[in-house]
Amino acid sequence: MDVVDAGNAVVDAGTNNGSAAMSVVSNSVSTSVFVLAVVLMIVGVILCIIILLQSKRSAGLGAVSAASSADTYWSRNKGNSMEGALERYTKIGGALFMIIAFIINLLS
């Protein structure tokens, strides 16, 4: 009786009751979880870098006053600037991070 270790599943080569197919599925799932975990780590590092590149927003009590909420040229065109791009990339990276983490949780 030959026993083959295929990742997390152990297959008995002496019997042919479909456990070999289960081993292949288990091995491919563990491979996909590993690949997704590597992608999750890369996205996490990139997300940390993007967050650290953003400028500090220390409005304090000045944000409460009506003078700071005026419609200025900078506030209207903020999305076209580097700060707006970093904010957009942070939202995309955060959503991607959560989706990949959810998929890894479902697969494992």
Side-chain angles (χ1 to χ4, degrees):
M1 186 182 299
D2 297 329
V3 176
V4 179
D5 185 13
N8 294 334
V10 176
V11 177
D12 186 5
T15 60
N16 191 7
N17 59 2
S19 62
M22 187 63 162
S23 164
V24 171
V25 171
S26 175
N27 195 16
S28 67
V29 169
S30 65
T31 303
S32 62
V33 167
F34 177 74
V35 170
L36 284 174
V38 170
V39 171
L40 185 71
M41 286 188 282
I42 292 170
V43 169
V45 168
I46 292 172
L47 193 58
C48 288
I49 292 170
I50 291 173
I51 289 171
L52 288 174
L53 285 174
Q54 292 181 8
S55 63
K56 188 190 271 189
R57 293 185 189 150
S58 58
L61 289 176
V64 177
S65 69
S68 66
S69 65
D71 193 25
T72 63
Y73 178 77
W74 173 252
S75 66
R76 287 179 291 184
N77 295 316
K78 184 179 173 186
N80 296 331
S81 67
M82 182 66 159
E83 186 177 333
L86 287 175
E87 188 175 317
R88 186 172 47 249
Y89 296 149
T90 302
K91 290 176 186 175
I92 292 170
L96 189 64
F97 187 88
M98 289 189 306
I99 290 169
I100 293 172
F102 184 70
I103 290 172
I104 290 173
N105 187 25
L106 287 178
L107 290 177
S108 57

